[in-house]
Structure formats: structure tokens, C-alpha cells
Amino acid sequence: MASLFDKRLIVVTGKGGAGKTTVAAALGLAAARRGKRVVLCEVAEQGRLAALFGASATHAETELAPSLFTVSVDPEQAKQEWLRYQLKSRTLAGVLGGSRLFQYLTAAAPGLSELVTIGKVWDLAQLERRTGGSVFDLAIVDAPATGHGLAMLRAPSTFAAVARVGPIGRQAEEIDRFLRDAKHTGVIAAALPEEMPVNETVEFERALRRELNISVDAIVVNAVHPARFGPDDIQRLRNVSSANPVTQAALSAALSEDTRARAERAQVRRLRRAAKAPVATLPRIFEPELGRDELERLSAELERRL
Ligand SMILES: Nc1ncnc2c1ncn2[C@@H]1O[C@H](COP(=O)(O)OP(=O)(O)OP(=O)(O)O)[C@@H](O)[C@H]1O
Ligand SMILES: [Mg+2]
């Protein structure tokens, strides 16, 4: 964890609904507790991170807790900002940004949207901000789901290869170098303890290594059901026979929950065998909605397990 928090950027990705936002927020709280000035950055979402802290997010930096900030990156706005930086002229960027020519160019350059988005994230992680914002010790990005997350990480290298000369190529190269440098950038994959998410996580880890030579720092298996019963308890539960329907229902609920908890543990073991990265688990929390208290709890668990 110490070395994870010594990086400048942590990218949290994973299958849709696996807990990327939750894990990113929990990591952010843990890093802030350690005295880091942290920015949690979400991409193309409407303030989900901020909502977890009972705040509302804007494109500007919003404080969520002491030393913990959030920024919501809107790819469209990031594009404008990037253009402004490239062209050094607000007016020209505005004209070009809105124009059909620009729309055409963006469409013709696949990945530009991902490039400017990761560019904005990269900027948040710099000691000298291009866009003149405040400086953070650590940026944590709640990245898009695996496939898009990979596309976002890949965009700078694709651009650097295409636009080999000129400022765009140079900047793409700089971002690419930063992302591939394990000293600066870490990747956390959020997964669920189920067959398909486990397969996808292993596949993501391989693809990231194969395509970009980036390794996953840790896999967080989220929302794991607790094993409430030992083998003896289960044997005893199986032996109970009751004519009372309520007791029967409770017994079969207990047994099926146990079956589920076991199946989840088997998936976690399978993931541990197949993945190169260390695997940490987070418990399922039985609350209708996760808020600040639950996040604090998950963040303490993460700190212990990573
Ligand atoms: N450990 C947990 N225990 C209980 N509920 C959880 C846990 N982690 C996440 N959740 C809930 O599961 C849902 C999905 O979590 P989250 O939003 O973090 O996933 P995500 O990967 O960011 O999803 P998306 O792909 O939609 O962005 C949310 O409603 C969240 O509150
Ligand atoms: Mg999310």
C-alpha cells in the first residue's frame, strides 16, 4: 500500500458494476488518511463519486473531505481544454471546437476522445499542472469499464505512433511514458467473485501486459459474502429437520448462503491461481446504499489487505 500511494496516478478499472467507483473512493480515503493530498477523478459520469460523499461534482475541483478532492472529467470539455492548450487561444479553440471540421477530425482520429481524457487525468497527476490547477500528491481515476479502460490507457501510445512528430505526438509520448512507468502509475482491477468477472479480470491483466507492458498492481475482489458457518455448523444445520415452515425457510436460507459463500471463495482461489497480481477481497456490505461510513469501513479493510 505504501508504494501504491507513493505513485502519482492510480487507475481503477474493472467490469461494469464490479465496484470501481467504490474501490476508487475507498483508496482515496485511505491515501488521504496517510496525509496525501488526493484527487478522485471520474470519467464521463455524473458525480457518482461526489454523491458517495453527499456532495455534487463539477468539472472544477470539489473538496469531499480533508485532503480529498474530486473532479468529474467530461470528455467533451476535456477536448476543448486540450485544444485551448494546443492552440493557446481560447477564441480559436472555441471556433474550432464547435465546428464540423473539428467533429470530422475527431471522428477521423479514433481515440482522440480517449487521448484527451487520459490527458486530463495525466495533468491532474503532474507536479506542474498544464492547465494551472492545484497540485495533488496522488490522482486516483475511476476509469471506464475494462474494455474502455484499456482503450483509454492505449490511446497515448496509438497517437504517439501515428503523430510521430509535432506537439501532439510529443505529448502523447510523454503521457504514454508516464502511464507505463510503474514508479508513477499503478493499476487496480476491481472484480466480483463470480466466474465471468474472474475470467475477464485475468484476460484484462494479460491484455494490459501484452499490449502495453503494464502490470496490474492489485486485484480487489469486491462484495464477497461472509462465510458465517464452519463445516461443523453446516453439518448440524443439515441434520436439523423441523416441521415449522419458518424454521425450514431459515435453514434453507442459511444453507444456500453458505453454498454461495463457498462458490465465491472458490472463484477467489481460482483468481489467485490465474492472476499475477496480488488479490485482496472486500466484504459485501449489507446496506441498501453505501455512504461515507461504509466507505470508511471498506477503506480500512483495503488498507489492511493490500
Ligand atoms: N462491498 C460492497 N458491498 C455492498 N454493496 C456494494 C459494495 N461495493 C459496491 N456496492 C454497490 O454495488 C453497486 C456497484 O458498485 P460501484 O458503483 O462501485 O461499481 P462500478 O464498477 O463503479 O459500476 P459502474 O460500472 O456502473 O460504474 C453500487 O450500488 C454500490 O453501492
Ligand atoms: Mg462506477
Side-chain angles (χ1 to χ4, degrees):
M1 198 84 159
S3 68
L4 185 64
F5 289 163
D6 287 336
K7 296 178 197 269
R8 302 210 50 82
L9 174 65
I10 300 176
V11 179
V12 182
T13 183
K15 192 176 160 60
K20 297 178 291 297
T21 303
T22 307
V23 168
L27 279 173
L29 275 173
R33 249 197 325 265
R34 297 215 175 174
K36 302 279 179 187
R37 191 178 142 85
V38 185
V39 62
L40 282 171
C41 170
E42 71 179 359
V43 172
E45 283 207 64
Q46 271 87 51
R48 284 269 299 116
L49 273 166
L52 279 174
F53 292 83
S56 51
T58 56
H59 196 61
E61 289 151 22
T62 311
E63 186 161 12
L64 298 175
S67 290
L68 187 62
F69 298 79
T70 190
V71 172
S72 195
V73 176
D74 167 31
E76 222 15 76
Q77 208 160 338
K79 222 176 326 192
Q80 297 284 331
E81 226 174 72
W82 177 80
L83 263 181
R84 220 152 43 221
Y85 176 74
Q86 293 296 339
L87 301 171
K88 313 267 188 299
S89 151
R90 208 168 272 258
T91 328
L92 191 54
V95 170
L96 198 55
S99 78
R100 289 205 359 236
L101 173 64
F102 184 68
Q103 305 298 334
Y104 175 79
L105 285 175
T106 338
L112 182 59
S113 187
E114 284 88 354
L115 178 71
V116 295
T117 304
I118 191 72
K120 169 80 190 178
V121 170
W122 168 83
D123 180 56
L124 283 168
Q126 299 309 300
L127 292 168
E128 256 174 68
R129 300 275 310 275
R130 300 286 162 104
T131 49
S134 56
V135 173
F136 299 98
D137 298 312
L138 174 66
I140 300 177
V141 56
D142 175 8
T146 342
H148 293 115
L150 192 60
M152 199 175 82
L153 291 170
R154 196 193 291 125
S157 95
T158 310
F159 259 82
V162 174
R164 220 166 296 142
V165 288
I168 297 177
R170 270 200 301 279
Q171 209 197 0
E173 219 166 78
E174 193 178 349
I175 298 173
D176 184 45
R177 256 201 314 277
F178 186 86
L179 294 177
R180 290 181 201 239
D181 184 346
K183 193 157 77 71
H184 293 314
T185 304
V187 177
I188 300 287
L192 289 172
E194 293 160 24
E195 176 148 12
M196 289 307 290
V198 163
N199 294 348
E200 280 180 38
T201 306
V202 173
E203 187 36 52
F204 170 72
E205 187 185 42
R206 286 184 188 147
L208 193 63
R209 187 181 301 269
R210 188 174 61 231
E211 291 182 29
L212 295 167
N213 201 23
I214 294 177
S215 17
V216 171
D217 288 82
I219 297 169
V220 178
V221 185
N222 186 33
V224 177
H225 282 77
R228 295 182 201 272
F229 309 108
D232 293 349
D233 301 323
I234 289 301
Q235 205 43 57
R236 235 171 289 146
L237 286 173
R238 279 192 218 289
N239 290 338
V240 176
S241 68
S242 166
N244 182 332
V246 178
T247 310
Q248 261 317 326
L251 277 170
S252 67
L255 287 170
S256 78
E257 195 184 291
D258 180 68
T259 306
R260 175 180 194 152
R262 271 168 212 276
E264 289 188 354
R265 267 163 186 70
Q267 293 299 340
V268 173
R269 279 196 300 276
R270 192 164 72 83
L271 183 56
R272 287 208 163 103
R273 281 194 301 270
K276 284 204 157 59
V279 174
T281 59
L282 281 182
R284 170 156 200 104
I285 291 189
F286 295 93
E287 294 290 337
E289 235 174 278
L290 302 190
R292 179 67 189 268
D293 291 348
E294 291 75 30
L295 281 178
E296 293 281 0
R297 200 186 128 193
L298 289 174
S299 117
E301 294 270 353
L302 256 187
E303 223 175 339
R304 243 181 306 129
R305 292 172 192 218
L306 269 186

mmCIF file of all heavy atoms in Angstrom, residues 180-212:
data_model
loop_
_atom_site.group_PDB
_atom_site.id
_atom_site.type_symbol
_atom_site.label_atom_id
_atom_site.label_comp_id
_atom_site.label_asym_id
_atom_site.label_seq_id
_atom_site.Cartn_x
_atom_site.Cartn_y
_atom_site.Cartn_z
ATOM 1 N N ARG A 180 3.182 3.992 -18.468
ATOM 2 C CA ARG A 180 3.902 2.718 -18.450
ATOM 3 C C ARG A 180 4.944 2.648 -17.351
ATOM 4 O O ARG A 180 5.538 1.590 -17.144
ATOM 5 C CB ARG A 180 4.619 2.503 -19.784
ATOM 6 C CG ARG A 180 3.692 2.234 -20.928
ATOM 7 C CD ARG A 180 4.570 2.032 -22.112
ATOM 8 N NE ARG A 180 3.888 2.225 -23.362
ATOM 9 C CZ ARG A 180 3.809 1.274 -24.283
ATOM 10 N NH1 ARG A 180 4.327 0.113 -24.048
ATOM 11 N NH2 ARG A 180 3.208 1.538 -25.420
ATOM 12 N N ASP A 181 5.207 3.777 -16.714
ATOM 13 C CA ASP A 181 6.236 3.809 -15.682
ATOM 14 C C ASP A 181 5.604 3.434 -14.335
ATOM 15 O O ASP A 181 4.870 4.220 -13.737
ATOM 16 C CB ASP A 181 6.847 5.217 -15.626
ATOM 17 C CG ASP A 181 7.990 5.300 -14.630
ATOM 18 O OD1 ASP A 181 8.130 4.370 -13.806
ATOM 19 O OD2 ASP A 181 8.734 6.288 -14.677
ATOM 20 N N ALA A 182 5.928 2.224 -13.868
ATOM 21 C CA ALA A 182 5.295 1.711 -12.640
ATOM 22 C C ALA A 182 5.628 2.567 -11.413
ATOM 23 O O ALA A 182 4.954 2.494 -10.396
ATOM 24 C CB ALA A 182 5.713 0.271 -12.402
ATOM 25 N N LYS A 183 6.683 3.380 -11.538
ATOM 26 C CA LYS A 183 7.016 4.269 -10.422
ATOM 27 C C LYS A 183 5.935 5.354 -10.279
ATOM 28 O O LYS A 183 5.636 5.813 -9.193
ATOM 29 C CB LYS A 183 8.386 4.909 -10.699
ATOM 30 C CG LYS A 183 8.995 5.604 -9.502
ATOM 31 C CD LYS A 183 10.499 5.713 -9.642
ATOM 32 C CE LYS A 183 10.961 6.780 -10.560
ATOM 33 N NZ LYS A 183 10.934 8.126 -10.425
ATOM 34 N N HIS A 184 5.361 5.744 -11.409
ATOM 35 C CA HIS A 184 4.384 6.831 -11.393
ATOM 36 C C HIS A 184 2.940 6.349 -11.419
ATOM 37 O O HIS A 184 2.068 6.967 -10.829
ATOM 38 C CB HIS A 184 4.592 7.740 -12.612
ATOM 39 C CG HIS A 184 5.871 8.487 -12.586
ATOM 40 N ND1 HIS A 184 6.319 9.134 -11.459
ATOM 41 C CD2 HIS A 184 6.805 8.699 -13.532
ATOM 42 C CE1 HIS A 184 7.473 9.715 -11.722
ATOM 43 N NE2 HIS A 184 7.805 9.455 -12.979
ATOM 44 N N THR A 185 2.684 5.279 -12.174
ATOM 45 C CA THR A 185 1.296 4.884 -12.412
ATOM 46 C C THR A 185 1.021 3.474 -11.914
ATOM 47 O O THR A 185 1.794 2.555 -12.182
ATOM 48 C CB THR A 185 0.985 4.966 -13.927
ATOM 49 O OG1 THR A 185 1.271 6.288 -14.378
ATOM 50 C CG2 THR A 185 -0.471 4.645 -14.202
ATOM 51 N N GLY A 186 -0.076 3.315 -11.202
ATOM 52 C CA GLY A 186 -0.498 1.996 -10.738
ATOM 53 C C GLY A 186 -1.856 1.645 -11.331
ATOM 54 O O GLY A 186 -2.628 2.540 -11.685
ATOM 55 N N VAL A 187 -2.123 0.353 -11.459
ATOM 56 C CA VAL A 187 -3.422 -0.083 -11.974
ATOM 57 C C VAL A 187 -4.047 -1.043 -10.970
ATOM 58 O O VAL A 187 -3.405 -2.002 -10.519
ATOM 59 C CB VAL A 187 -3.276 -0.787 -13.344
ATOM 60 C CG1 VAL A 187 -4.624 -1.306 -13.831
ATOM 61 C CG2 VAL A 187 -2.661 0.153 -14.381
ATOM 62 N N ILE A 188 -5.277 -0.768 -10.610
ATOM 63 C CA ILE A 188 -6.036 -1.646 -9.720
ATOM 64 C C ILE A 188 -7.229 -2.166 -10.509
ATOM 65 O O ILE A 188 -7.947 -1.382 -11.144
ATOM 66 C CB ILE A 188 -6.558 -0.860 -8.485
ATOM 67 C CG1 ILE A 188 -5.413 -0.257 -7.673
ATOM 68 C CG2 ILE A 188 -7.446 -1.749 -7.613
ATOM 69 C CD1 ILE A 188 -4.598 -1.229 -6.871
ATOM 70 N N ALA A 189 -7.435 -3.475 -10.499
ATOM 71 C CA ALA A 189 -8.602 -4.041 -11.180
ATOM 72 C C ALA A 189 -9.631 -4.465 -10.137
ATOM 73 O O ALA A 189 -9.312 -5.205 -9.209
ATOM 74 C CB ALA A 189 -8.179 -5.230 -12.030
ATOM 75 N N ALA A 190 -10.848 -3.960 -10.284
ATOM 76 C CA ALA A 190 -11.935 -4.375 -9.389
ATOM 77 C C ALA A 190 -12.643 -5.558 -10.042
ATOM 78 O O ALA A 190 -12.891 -5.558 -11.247
ATOM 79 C CB ALA A 190 -12.908 -3.219 -9.167
ATOM 80 N N ALA A 191 -12.946 -6.567 -9.243
ATOM 81 C CA ALA A 191 -13.607 -7.759 -9.781
ATOM 82 C C ALA A 191 -14.692 -8.211 -8.811
ATOM 83 O O ALA A 191 -14.773 -7.719 -7.685
ATOM 84 C CB ALA A 191 -12.588 -8.871 -9.972
ATOM 85 N N LEU A 192 -15.534 -9.115 -9.267
ATOM 86 C CA LEU A 192 -16.521 -9.733 -8.395
ATOM 87 C C LEU A 192 -16.192 -11.224 -8.294
ATOM 88 O O LEU A 192 -15.601 -11.793 -9.217
ATOM 89 C CB LEU A 192 -17.934 -9.531 -8.969
ATOM 90 C CG LEU A 192 -18.478 -8.101 -8.907
ATOM 91 C CD1 LEU A 192 -19.779 -7.982 -9.679
ATOM 92 C CD2 LEU A 192 -18.649 -7.640 -7.460
ATOM 93 N N PRO A 193 -16.581 -11.854 -7.199
ATOM 94 C CA PRO A 193 -16.223 -13.267 -7.016
ATOM 95 C C PRO A 193 -17.143 -14.209 -7.795
ATOM 96 O O PRO A 193 -17.789 -15.076 -7.228
ATOM 97 C CB PRO A 193 -16.375 -13.470 -5.501
ATOM 98 C CG PRO A 193 -17.417 -12.485 -5.109
ATOM 99 C CD PRO A 193 -17.282 -11.310 -6.021
ATOM 100 N N GLU A 194 -17.210 -13.997 -9.098
ATOM 101 C CA GLU A 194 -18.055 -14.834 -9.950
ATOM 102 C C GLU A 194 -17.244 -15.258 -11.170
ATOM 103 O O GLU A 194 -16.262 -14.614 -11.519
ATOM 104 C CB GLU A 194 -19.278 -14.032 -10.410
ATOM 105 C CG GLU A 194 -20.226 -13.670 -9.282
ATOM 106 C CD GLU A 194 -21.127 -12.508 -9.636
ATOM 107 O OE1 GLU A 194 -21.347 -12.275 -10.846
ATOM 108 O OE2 GLU A 194 -21.566 -11.814 -8.701
ATOM 109 N N GLU A 195 -17.733 -16.299 -11.829
ATOM 110 C CA GLU A 195 -16.959 -16.901 -12.902
ATOM 111 C C GLU A 195 -16.556 -15.920 -14.006
ATOM 112 O O GLU A 195 -15.382 -15.754 -14.321
ATOM 113 C CB GLU A 195 -17.741 -18.073 -13.506
ATOM 114 C CG GLU A 195 -17.011 -18.663 -14.689
ATOM 115 C CD GLU A 195 -17.235 -20.142 -14.842
ATOM 116 O OE1 GLU A 195 -18.142 -20.669 -14.165
ATOM 117 O OE2 GLU A 195 -16.501 -20.761 -15.622
ATOM 118 N N MET A 196 -17.553 -15.253 -14.614
ATOM 119 C CA MET A 196 -17.242 -14.361 -15.744
ATOM 120 C C MET A 196 -16.357 -13.180 -15.344
ATOM 121 O O MET A 196 -15.366 -12.903 -16.022
ATOM 122 C CB MET A 196 -18.533 -13.859 -16.409
ATOM 123 C CG MET A 196 -19.290 -14.925 -17.188
ATOM 124 S SD MET A 196 -18.239 -15.746 -18.391
ATOM 125 C CE MET A 196 -18.021 -14.406 -19.557
ATOM 126 N N PRO A 197 -16.703 -12.480 -14.271
ATOM 127 C CA PRO A 197 -15.820 -11.380 -13.864
ATOM 128 C C PRO A 197 -14.389 -11.838 -13.572
ATOM 129 O O PRO A 197 -13.441 -11.117 -13.889
ATOM 130 C CB PRO A 197 -16.489 -10.836 -12.600
ATOM 131 C CG PRO A 197 -17.920 -11.191 -12.750
ATOM 132 C CD PRO A 197 -17.952 -12.501 -13.466
ATOM 133 N N VAL A 198 -14.232 -13.024 -13.015
ATOM 134 C CA VAL A 198 -12.888 -13.537 -12.753
ATOM 135 C C VAL A 198 -12.158 -13.767 -14.079
ATOM 136 O O VAL A 198 -11.019 -13.332 -14.262
ATOM 137 C CB VAL A 198 -12.937 -14.833 -11.899
ATOM 138 C CG1 VAL A 198 -11.616 -15.601 -11.973
ATOM 139 C CG2 VAL A 198 -13.265 -14.485 -10.453
ATOM 140 N N ASN A 199 -12.850 -14.399 -15.039
ATOM 141 C CA ASN A 199 -12.231 -14.626 -16.353
ATOM 142 C C ASN A 199 -11.825 -13.308 -17.003
ATOM 143 O O ASN A 199 -10.738 -13.177 -17.555
ATOM 144 C CB ASN A 199 -13.210 -15.340 -17.297
ATOM 145 C CG ASN A 199 -13.519 -16.753 -16.823
ATOM 146 O OD1 ASN A 199 -12.849 -17.262 -15.925
ATOM 147 N ND2 ASN A 199 -14.531 -17.362 -17.411
ATOM 148 N N GLU A 200 -12.737 -12.340 -16.936
ATOM 149 C CA GLU A 200 -12.448 -11.048 -17.571
ATOM 150 C C GLU A 200 -11.281 -10.326 -16.915
ATOM 151 O O GLU A 200 -10.511 -9.648 -17.590
ATOM 152 C CB GLU A 200 -13.697 -10.145 -17.530
ATOM 153 C CG GLU A 200 -14.673 -10.507 -18.627
ATOM 154 C CD GLU A 200 -15.916 -9.640 -18.622
ATOM 155 O OE1 GLU A 200 -15.793 -8.420 -18.346
ATOM 156 O OE2 GLU A 200 -16.999 -10.174 -18.877
ATOM 157 N N THR A 201 -11.175 -10.480 -15.614
ATOM 158 C CA THR A 201 -10.075 -9.822 -14.905
ATOM 159 C C THR A 201 -8.739 -10.421 -15.333
ATOM 160 O O THR A 201 -7.774 -9.698 -15.592
ATOM 161 C CB THR A 201 -10.256 -9.974 -13.378
ATOM 162 O OG1 THR A 201 -11.562 -9.499 -13.039
ATOM 163 C CG2 THR A 201 -9.221 -9.183 -12.617
ATOM 164 N N VAL A 202 -8.705 -11.747 -15.424
ATOM 165 C CA VAL A 202 -7.472 -12.415 -15.848
ATOM 166 C C VAL A 202 -7.127 -11.994 -17.278
ATOM 167 O O VAL A 202 -5.975 -11.678 -17.592
ATOM 168 C CB VAL A 202 -7.636 -13.955 -15.753
ATOM 169 C CG1 VAL A 202 -6.438 -14.661 -16.359
ATOM 170 C CG2 VAL A 202 -7.840 -14.366 -14.300
ATOM 171 N N GLU A 203 -8.144 -11.939 -18.127
ATOM 172 C CA GLU A 203 -7.944 -11.536 -19.516
ATOM 173 C C GLU A 203 -7.448 -10.085 -19.590
ATOM 174 O O GLU A 203 -6.544 -9.765 -20.354
ATOM 175 C CB GLU A 203 -9.249 -11.727 -20.307
ATOM 176 C CG GLU A 203 -9.141 -11.503 -21.800
ATOM 177 C CD GLU A 203 -7.818 -11.967 -22.417
ATOM 178 O OE1 GLU A 203 -7.403 -13.136 -22.217
ATOM 179 O OE2 GLU A 203 -7.193 -11.139 -23.093
ATOM 180 N N PHE A 204 -8.028 -9.224 -18.770
ATOM 181 C CA PHE A 204 -7.602 -7.814 -18.745
ATOM 182 C C PHE A 204 -6.136 -7.702 -18.332
ATOM 183 O O PHE A 204 -5.356 -6.979 -18.954
ATOM 184 C CB PHE A 204 -8.483 -7.000 -17.784
ATOM 185 C CG PHE A 204 -7.963 -5.621 -17.522
ATOM 186 C CD1 PHE A 204 -8.045 -4.651 -18.514
ATOM 187 C CD2 PHE A 204 -7.374 -5.283 -16.307
ATOM 188 C CE1 PHE A 204 -7.539 -3.364 -18.295
ATOM 189 C CE2 PHE A 204 -6.863 -4.014 -16.083
ATOM 190 C CZ PHE A 204 -6.959 -3.056 -17.075
ATOM 191 N N GLU A 205 -5.767 -8.435 -17.310
ATOM 192 C CA GLU A 205 -4.381 -8.383 -16.843
ATOM 193 C C GLU A 205 -3.424 -8.805 -17.964
ATOM 194 O O GLU A 205 -2.404 -8.158 -18.207
ATOM 195 C CB GLU A 205 -4.194 -9.292 -15.622
ATOM 196 C CG GLU A 205 -2.806 -9.149 -14.998
ATOM 197 C CD GLU A 205 -2.562 -10.132 -13.852
ATOM 198 O OE1 GLU A 205 -2.950 -11.310 -13.983
ATOM 199 O OE2 GLU A 205 -1.974 -9.706 -12.837
ATOM 200 N N ARG A 206 -3.814 -9.868 -18.681
ATOM 201 C CA ARG A 206 -2.956 -10.343 -19.778
ATOM 202 C C ARG A 206 -2.886 -9.322 -20.905
ATOM 203 O O ARG A 206 -1.811 -9.057 -21.446
ATOM 204 C CB ARG A 206 -3.495 -11.669 -20.325
ATOM 205 C CG ARG A 206 -3.189 -12.778 -19.360
ATOM 206 C CD ARG A 206 -3.609 -14.129 -19.896
ATOM 207 N NE ARG A 206 -3.456 -15.099 -18.823
ATOM 208 C CZ ARG A 206 -4.223 -16.156 -18.657
ATOM 209 N NH1 ARG A 206 -5.203 -16.410 -19.499
ATOM 210 N NH2 ARG A 206 -4.012 -16.974 -17.646
ATOM 211 N N ALA A 207 -4.049 -8.774 -21.271
ATOM 212 C CA ALA A 207 -4.089 -7.824 -22.393
ATOM 213 C C ALA A 207 -3.254 -6.585 -22.082
ATOM 214 O O ALA A 207 -2.536 -6.072 -22.935
ATOM 215 C CB ALA A 207 -5.537 -7.433 -22.694
ATOM 216 N N LEU A 208 -3.341 -6.130 -20.837
ATOM 217 C CA LEU A 208 -2.607 -4.930 -20.438
ATOM 218 C C LEU A 208 -1.097 -5.174 -20.531
ATOM 219 O O LEU A 208 -0.344 -4.318 -20.997
ATOM 220 C CB LEU A 208 -3.001 -4.560 -19.004
ATOM 221 C CG LEU A 208 -2.590 -3.185 -18.514
ATOM 222 C CD1 LEU A 208 -3.272 -2.093 -19.327
ATOM 223 C CD2 LEU A 208 -2.938 -3.011 -17.034
ATOM 224 N N ARG A 209 -0.696 -6.366 -20.130
ATOM 225 C CA ARG A 209 0.724 -6.705 -20.199
ATOM 226 C C ARG A 209 1.171 -6.873 -21.654
ATOM 227 O O ARG A 209 2.187 -6.353 -22.076
ATOM 228 C CB ARG A 209 0.972 -7.999 -19.420
ATOM 229 C CG ARG A 209 2.437 -8.357 -19.290
ATOM 230 C CD ARG A 209 2.572 -9.653 -18.530
ATOM 231 N NE ARG A 209 1.971 -9.543 -17.202
ATOM 232 C CZ ARG A 209 2.646 -9.168 -16.118
ATOM 233 N NH1 ARG A 209 3.908 -8.864 -16.223
ATOM 234 N NH2 ARG A 209 2.061 -9.100 -14.949
ATOM 235 N N ARG A 210 0.340 -7.613 -22.411
ATOM 236 C CA ARG A 210 0.677 -7.912 -23.802
ATOM 237 C C ARG A 210 0.749 -6.638 -24.641
ATOM 238 O O ARG A 210 1.685 -6.409 -25.386
ATOM 239 C CB ARG A 210 -0.403 -8.849 -24.350
ATOM 240 C CG ARG A 210 -0.138 -9.441 -25.716
ATOM 241 C CD ARG A 210 -1.232 -10.451 -26.058
ATOM 242 N NE ARG A 210 -2.557 -9.847 -26.095
ATOM 243 C CZ ARG A 210 -3.622 -10.323 -25.437
ATOM 244 N NH1 ARG A 210 -3.539 -11.393 -24.690
ATOM 245 N NH2 ARG A 210 -4.790 -9.706 -25.527
ATOM 246 N N GLU A 211 -0.268 -5.786 -24.494
ATOM 247 C CA GLU A 211 -0.365 -4.626 -25.383
ATOM 248 C C GLU A 211 0.478 -3.446 -24.931
ATOM 249 O O GLU A 211 0.986 -2.698 -25.757
ATOM 250 C CB GLU A 211 -1.820 -4.170 -25.487
ATOM 251 C CG GLU A 211 -2.678 -5.159 -26.233
ATOM 252 C CD GLU A 211 -4.105 -4.650 -26.366
ATOM 253 O OE1 GLU A 211 -4.282 -3.419 -26.407
ATOM 254 O OE2 GLU A 211 -5.009 -5.489 -26.412
ATOM 255 N N LEU A 212 0.580 -3.247 -23.629
ATOM 256 C CA LEU A 212 1.238 -2.036 -23.158
ATOM 257 C C LEU A 212 2.393 -2.298 -22.209
ATOM 258 O O LEU A 212 3.054 -1.371 -21.757
ATOM 259 C CB LEU A 212 0.207 -1.125 -22.468
ATOM 260 C CG LEU A 212 -0.885 -0.577 -23.387
ATOM 261 C CD1 LEU A 212 -2.012 0.039 -22.582
ATOM 262 C CD2 LEU A 212 -0.313 0.471 -24.334
#
